[in-house]
Amino acid sequence: MEMTNQVFKTGIKELDRLIGKALIPGSFIVVAGHPGAGKTTLASSICYANMLENKKCLYVSFQEDKEKLYRNLLSVNINFKEMEEKGLLRFLKLPLPAQEEAVEKFLDKIMELIIKNNPKVVVIDSITPLLSTVRDNIKARALLQNFFAEIPKEIKGLVVLIAEIPMMEEKIMIGDIEFVADAILILKHRVERNLLIRELEIRKVRGVPINLAKVPVAIIEGKGLVMYAPPILEEVPSRPRELYEFQCTRLHELFKGIRKGDVIYISYPPDDRPSDIWLFIIGLVLAYDLKAVMISYKRSSEELRENLVKYLRTKCNCQEKIMELIKDKIKFYSINPAGISIGISSLWELSIIEKIILM
Ligand SMILES: Nc1ncnc2c1ncn2[C@@H]1O[C@H](COP(=O)(O)OP(=O)(O)OP(=O)(O)O)[C@@H](O)[C@H]1O
Ligand SMILES: [Mg+2]
């Protein structure tokens, strides 16, 4: 297993795997993105994951109304109210600074709360209105460097700065924030074929090579932000030697069998469903004590199972016995493709497979 000196969590396992090494005391990360891209959700997930490990958080917001935010977060399984009641969360809503002179007062207030509450994670949601008030870019950079980059060192913790990227723009454009941050995560969303596609771009992680720059993400009711990052393979793995030999004589004659990692693509003319596929799947599962997952984008999981029983009935009258034998070995899933993008559907497929492996 990979060694990591990670101290803080993001609440997203795959993200921890990619940037975890940068989440050590004294670091600050930037979560940037277009309006509605999921910045608040990601920053809150980071807060929540660490509060669950008894680390205190300070969440400073210029935008979010506390009641509304807490309610929205509950729908993605983040319970800020509970954390506040436990004394682990201090939420502070500040009005937008109208003049440059007001910024100083804001910083004093933030500092005061840090000293009083001793948080290990501090979120500023967002830094954009604060820095926009500072007209001079050099002053803005000094503010970032002298104040926000210093806080994590002072508290020996983690600071998450949220930055807004205007619609149609690609750059963060404030105070050269990209130079100062230890990690930069950019959330993006776009509409493709009427479907909303969300992506997370990992633009910089200090001290960690970035192998994977862009990953599909989704915000899911009851679950929150999920992402699937495929493993990075440094070299093409050699094909495992183990051969699963087909139990069907004809298939065996033609192909012998399959090896781990093989992909078999079966195509057939419309209206000619090759039900006999079942035979070689059941044959392999039973002969080698394997696990199989059947995922359909068209039929429900019950229908899949019923089709299998129907098919077995045409071959023998032992369908009940076979169903009993494969009960824990073959699992049926269905995914409704109507409301999801290709990226997300593959994410679902992979999460199903991961679940089966762990079962
Ligand atoms: N329970 C939920 N289920 C599915 N999607 C949700 C849920 N809650 C929020 N979302 C999605 O998350 C998006 C907003 O996320 P969030 O508030 O984190 O974005 P943001 O980048 O902080 O936005 P802003 O720029 O307005 O501050 C919403 O547009 C919505 O599509
Ligand atoms: Mg927000």
Side-chain angles (χ1 to χ4, degrees):
M1 205 171 148
E2 212 175 313
M3 289 296 288
T4 165
N5 42 5
Q6 175 174 5
V7 172
F8 296 97
K9 299 256 169 76
T10 64
I12 303 156
K13 199 174 68 192
E14 290 78 8
L15 191 57
D16 285 343
R17 184 161 65 77
L18 293 171
I19 70 158
K21 279 188 190 160
L23 300 179
I24 51 171
S27 39
F28 100 81
I29 66 172
V30 170
V31 172
H34 295 144
K39 305 179 291 293
T40 299
T41 311
L42 176 55
S44 304
S45 163
I46 297 173
C47 261
Y48 193 56
N50 291 296
M51 288 192 289
L52 286 175
E53 300 207 323
N54 278 323
K55 294 189 179 82
K56 280 187 181 176
C57 284
L58 169 66
Y59 198 111
V60 182
S61 173
F62 292 100
Q63 270 127 323
E64 305 280 356
D65 180 59
K66 181 171 151 178
E67 304 300 318
K68 213 152 110 193
L69 175 72
Y70 282 23
R71 206 172 42 239
N72 289 346
L73 289 177
L74 255 191
S75 76
V76 287
N77 217 12
I78 293 177
N79 194 340
F80 266 15
K81 191 159 185 276
E82 188 192 343
M83 291 299 145
E84 199 174 52
E85 283 162 6
K86 281 188 179 163
L88 287 164
L89 174 67
R90 178 75 170 84
F91 184 91
L92 174 73
K93 166 128 193 225
L94 289 175
L96 283 174
Q99 298 155 337
E100 195 170 332
E101 294 68 42
V103 172
E104 202 71 23
K105 258 200 244 154
F106 279 47
L107 302 186
D108 286 347
K109 179 78 192 158
I110 294 171
M111 215 51 224
E112 185 192 313
L113 278 173
I114 289 175
I115 293 167
K116 199 166 143 210
N117 293 292
N118 192 23
K120 283 288 164 217
V121 180
V122 176
V123 176
I124 311 289
D125 186 357
S126 85
I127 191 80
T128 308
L130 200 66
L131 290 187
S132 311
T133 325
V134 183
R135 274 161 250 121
D136 182 347
N137 207 34
I138 298 175
K139 264 197 199 167
R141 186 168 182 168
L143 188 67
L144 276 171
Q145 210 129 29
N146 301 338
F147 189 77
F148 290 106
E150 283 307 311
I151 299 177
K153 293 177 206 155
E154 288 290 321
I155 64 171
K156 295 187 179 59
L158 178 73
V159 168
V160 182
L161 297 186
I162 293 183
E164 291 156 30
I165 303 180
M167 253 348 190
M168 317 301 283
E169 298 279 353
E170 277 289 305
K171 287 180 69 185
I172 308 177
M173 298 197 305
I174 39 163
D176 292 334
I177 201 167
E178 310 206 18
F179 292 102
V180 194
D182 293 304
I184 299 175
L185 307 174
I186 315 255
L187 284 155
K188 292 184 167 180
H189 60 168
R190 62 178 197 279
V191 175
E192 215 173 77
R193 289 186 294 156
N194 294 333
L195 297 172
L196 184 69
I197 315 250
R198 294 185 190 274
E199 276 170 345
L200 176 80
E201 198 177 303
I202 301 168
R203 203 168 283 180
K204 164 184 175 182
V205 192
R206 208 165 259 168
V208 181
I210 304 174
N211 296 318
L212 196 66
K214 228 182 220 181
V215 277
V217 294
I219 300 174
I220 296 172
E221 182 92 44
K223 259 191 160 174
L225 210 107
V226 291
M227 67 184 267
Y228 189 87
I232 302 294
L233 303 173
E234 259 135 43
E235 58 180 272
V236 179
S238 57
R239 280 179 89 209
R241 297 204 169 273
E242 199 177 352
L243 182 73
Y244 300 123
E245 289 183 44
F246 289 130
Q247 306 300 297
C248 156
T249 325
R250 187 77 187 109
L251 281 175
H252 195 269
E253 273 167 23
L254 287 169
F255 310 105
K256 213 159 170 146
I258 53 173
R259 293 183 195 205
K260 268 188 196 166
D262 278 355
V263 175
I264 302 179
Y265 177 79
I266 301 168
S267 97
Y268 52 88
D271 302 324
D272 183 20
R273 315 208 91 240
S275 324
D276 289 339
I277 289 170
W278 286 114
L279 273 189
F280 87 80
I281 295 172
I282 294 176
L284 286 179
V285 162
L286 291 178
Y288 293 96
D289 196 20
L290 303 176
K291 287 178 185 171
V293 191
M294 297 215 86
I295 301 171
S296 174
Y297 279 88
K298 203 170 166 187
R299 293 167 204 286
S300 69
S301 49
E302 291 81 33
E303 222 178 315
L304 275 181
R305 186 188 296 273
E306 278 162 22
N307 283 351
L308 172 61
V309 176
K310 257 190 240 162
Y311 168 74
L312 290 173
R313 214 174 279 144
T314 64
K315 296 283 158 195
C316 60
N317 48 18
C318 55
Q319 73 270 16
E320 256 138 48
K321 195 163 171 217
I322 297 184
M323 290 308 283
E324 183 57 34
L325 280 174
I326 59 168
K327 195 174 72 181
D328 299 320
K329 298 179 193 289
I330 303 186
K331 299 281 174 203
F332 303 89
Y333 286 87
S334 83
I335 297 174
N336 179 358
I340 51 172
S341 63
I342 296 288
I344 298 308
S345 60
S346 46
L347 191 150
W348 273 110
E349 281 185 9
L350 290 162
S351 66
I352 286 171
I353 293 166
E354 219 169 51
K355 202 159 90 185
I356 296 291
I357 293 171
L358 294 176
M359 252 154 65

